[in-house]
Amino acid sequence: MTDIRSMLPEELEQAFKDMGQPKYRAGQVFDWLTRGVSSFDEMTNLPKGLREELKNEYVIPMLTCLKKQVSREDGTIKYLWELPDGNAVETVVMRYRYGNTVCISSQVGCRQGCAFCASTIGGLVRSLTPAEMLCEVLYSQLESGVPIGHIVLMGIGEPLDNFDNVMRFLQLVNHPKGMNIGMRHISLSTCGLTEKFDKLAAYHLQLTLSVSLHAPDDETRSKIMPANRGRGVEELISACERYYAETGRRISFEYAMIDGVNDTPYHAELLAKHARRVGAHVNLIPLNHVEESRFEPSKPEAMKAFQKILKDAGVNATVRRKLGGDIDASCGQLRKKLAEK
Ligand code: SAH
């Protein structure tokens, strides 16, 4: 059986042509899928015979809502979705001044092993299909009634470890006949799988590449992010340089501030040097406390001093506003709680 939701309109047209069907039928089916239907019987403008034929060849993957939490502080919504095979992933809907943003997962679990992250605790189960990622966006919008304008791939998983499916998802969600979300409204976050950077740059997508840097030197970074071992900060920064040169798109560095680990003036100065070299914008994030972890967020004074060093060095640095603190909105926490039950 073929997953019909992972197919692009052009591929559907070809498939319908091969079935001896007119092209407009493919358009009708893609339309229904974009409206969120989960069965061929709901596609009422298709002849019954065709619906039966489709049922024999295709499946329509869908998500079921296992849990929904709404923050009383800021309206952030967090979903725990059940996938067709019984696994679960999280999706968060956030309201920023610039627009409504959905944060989606790209894998069930993660194998990158970052020491401060809740998503990696059980390892990687599997990667998500393009359809499943699309459904995270589509069903979050339909269920919440919040029109989604922006997407960040910052939920559970490492998008560059699921490269082909993520590329196809981006084509689907960006398609003018589908949800039509602009590439400039999409951010892809990576822990730095540098071997994929050139491959990504070759697509010349207008999305924003966010690099989870979290430490500017090998000693600190390899301690908290195993992905740094065998690659190294220098390799990462030069990959960023090449990415910027090839795409003309500014990279942003994510930097979760951890008390006594990566928040000294030494770290700030080295970070400033890297940021200037690639023209990167720096997002400082107070670490979200994860139960299993010994790490604590940096003190506000340390964050201020850190930000000042960056600003004095001419680097654009902002402190990210924390949303959904009362609903465990940071990644991996809800799925982990489910697994523990
Ligand atoms: N694997 C990708 C995307 C998912 S993580 C990546 O590493 O970028 C999304 C972001 O949340 C990353 O920047 C990640 O480092 C950060 N993050 C993970 N755990 C965190 C925590 N406890 N506090 C703050 N940020 C965290």
Side-chain angles (χ1 to χ4, degrees):
M1 295 284 257
T2 307
D3 159 9
I4 199 166
R5 246 195 233 288
S6 288
M7 291 172 78
L8 291 159
E10 299 75 21
E11 293 166 335
L12 267 182
E13 278 174 17
Q14 187 57 48
F16 275 66
K17 200 172 147 207
D18 296 345
M19 286 165 69
Q21 292 288 336
K23 200 166 129 178
Y24 73 89
R25 293 280 182 222
Q28 289 175 320
V29 170
F30 195 75
D31 250 13
W32 283 112
L33 294 173
T34 304
R35 275 188 255 169
V37 305
S38 50
S39 73
F40 290 107
D41 286 329
E42 290 167 78
M43 303 185 180
T44 45
N45 56 359
L46 301 189
K48 217 155 182 232
L50 176 58
R51 284 187 242 160
E52 294 306 317
E53 218 179 312
L54 291 171
K55 276 188 220 170
N56 291 332
E57 287 228 12
Y58 295 100
V59 280
I60 307 179
M62 60 176 292
L63 306 181
T64 320
C65 181
L66 288 178
K67 189 165 179 171
K68 176 184 181 183
Q69 287 174 291
V70 183
S71 162
R72 260 163 286 163
E73 292 168 11
D74 51 44
T76 298
I77 307 169
K78 178 151 179 163
Y79 291 103
L80 184 68
W81 297 112
E82 183 175 24
L83 303 169
D85 70 350
N87 278 300
V89 289
E90 290 167 42
T91 309
V92 183
V93 178
M94 299 164 290
R95 293 140 198 255
Y96 284 110
R97 245 158 285 143
Y98 60 79
N100 300 319
T101 304
V102 65
C103 174
I104 66 159
S105 298
S106 56
Q107 296 182 309
V108 181
C110 185
R111 58 172 155 186
Q112 304 305 323
C114 298
F116 46 82
C117 180
S119 301
T120 203
I121 289 169
L124 175 70
V125 178
R126 69 169 175 87
S127 285
L128 295 191
T129 63
E132 287 166 338
M133 289 181 267
L134 183 72
C135 284
E136 287 185 74
V137 184
L138 185 61
Y139 284 117
S140 296
Q141 174 169 282
L142 291 172
E143 207 287 334
S144 67
V146 176
I148 302 294
H150 299 254
I151 302 172
V152 294
L153 283 122
M154 291 191 184
I156 300 170
E158 166 53 46
L160 296 188
D161 189 36
N162 184 16
F163 192 92
D164 294 338
N165 286 350
V166 165
M167 289 303 119
R168 178 170 278 268
F169 155 71
L170 291 172
Q171 278 179 282
L172 280 168
V173 82
N174 175 242
H175 204 286
K177 290 184 181 156
M179 294 193 78
N180 197 15
I181 296 183
M183 281 290 172
R184 282 175 182 266
H185 289 185
I186 301 178
S187 292
L188 186 155
S189 182
T190 176
C191 64
L193 303 187
T194 47
E195 62 281 10
K196 304 280 171 61
F197 279 38
D198 295 335
K199 198 172 159 192
L200 180 65
Y203 282 80
H204 288 275
L205 301 177
Q206 295 295 297
L207 53 73
T208 299
L209 182 62
S210 283
V211 172
S212 300
L213 192 58
H214 304 323
D217 62 297
D218 282 327
E219 200 195 330
T220 315
R221 195 163 194 271
S222 291
K223 224 184 275 168
I224 56 176
M225 300 182 71
N228 194 63
R229 300 173 198 157
R231 292 189 180 93
V233 172
E234 176 50 37
E235 184 179 312
L236 176 55
I237 304 301
S238 28
C240 290
E241 244 178 344
R242 288 198 307 278
Y243 184 88
Y244 181 37
E246 178 67 25
T247 62
R249 299 287 297 160
R250 251 178 226 288
I251 286 177
S252 73
F253 286 157
E254 305 294 302
Y255 202 97
M257 299 207 47
I258 314 174
D259 186 33
V261 173
N262 64 359
D263 61 353
T264 70
Y266 160 76
H267 293 109
E269 275 152 28
L270 195 53
L271 170 60
K273 206 172 121 199
H274 297 323
R276 275 203 312 264
R277 189 170 141 199
V278 299
H281 173 98
V282 178
N283 266 319
L284 298 174
I285 311 146
L287 183 85
N288 273 306
H289 184 74
V290 172
E291 266 170 47
E292 286 75 2
S293 136
R294 58 203 149 88
F295 296 122
E296 297 291 338
S298 297
K299 308 265 185 310
E301 314 86 73
M303 289 196 69
K304 256 189 218 138
F306 198 92
Q307 193 180 14
K308 183 168 187 311
I309 294 175
L310 294 177
K311 285 212 162 129
D312 290 348
V315 173
N316 195 342
T318 43
V319 176
R320 187 182 291 159
R321 199 158 60 94
K322 195 175 156 164
L323 293 178
D326 57 332
I327 55 164
D328 294 332
S330 56
C331 58
Q333 300 190 6
L334 202 57
R335 177 177 163 261
K336 192 168 61 62
K337 281 188 185 161
L338 177 85
E340 281 162 3
K341 272 187 193 148

